[in-house]
Amino acid sequence: MTAASHEALRAQLLKKKKELNARLDRISLNLRRGYEADSKERAKQLEDNEVVDALGNEARAEIAKISAALQRIDNGEFGICIECGLPINERRIAVYPYADECIECAEFDERRRARR
Ligand SMILES: [Zn+2]
């Protein structure tokens, strides 16, 4: 990949990270909201919070992946599969810019997870 496309990618990743951080802020704001005195209302709120918390964890996991991808760009390791060391298909990166595995390794992992 060229330096120019690395810069474009970096900008794209930073933008995505900013969006996710904004989402996390909204999520934690929701979680901090006071509980209703009414116990039925409170049960509903706790349930909502669990959903909200799961969304928060998802956003945090995505932010971690983006940070790792940004670091790989800095180290010049971006676009190289962390499993097998072969270049990751550029079409895959276009769809999934913070991919750290080539499609073969990712599919292998998925099959391994599915068997568990
Ligand atoms: Zn691989």
Side-chain angles (χ1 to χ4, degrees):
M1 252 199 269
T2 63
S5 64
H6 269 173
E7 279 318 302
L9 199 68
R10 189 199 302 273
Q12 193 189 340
L13 287 167
L14 285 172
K15 184 166 164 267
K16 179 86 182 148
K17 198 171 161 185
K18 224 165 122 183
E19 282 169 13
L20 286 165
N21 274 319
R23 195 195 296 172
L24 264 185
D25 282 350
R26 278 197 305 274
I27 288 170
S28 43
L29 218 68
N30 265 328
L31 282 174
R32 274 203 300 271
R33 188 179 57 182
Y35 287 117
E36 298 288 336
D38 178 44
S39 67
K40 220 157 94 191
E41 269 298 299
R42 194 158 51 204
K44 170 93 178 66
Q45 264 182 339
L46 283 171
E47 223 168 84
D48 287 351
N49 279 356
E50 259 166 48
V51 174
V52 167
D53 206 30
L55 289 175
N57 288 337
E58 220 167 81
R60 269 187 291 269
E62 222 173 328
I63 289 171
K65 277 184 202 160
I66 292 174
S67 300
L70 286 166
Q71 204 161 20
R72 286 198 302 276
I73 293 177
D74 288 340
N75 296 341
E77 291 164 356
F78 186 84
I80 304 295
C81 174
I82 57 166
E83 284 292 328
C84 67
L86 292 174
I88 302 173
N89 189 304
E90 288 202 20
R91 271 195 308 250
R92 174 165 163 78
I93 289 174
V95 186
Y96 185 43
Y98 41 87
D100 53 9
E101 289 177 333
C102 68
I103 188 74
E104 285 83 8
C105 292
E107 278 177 357
F108 180 76
D109 276 354
E110 244 159 62
R111 279 199 299 275
R112 208 168 43 187
R113 268 197 296 271
R115 274 206 301 271
R116 261 180 214 156

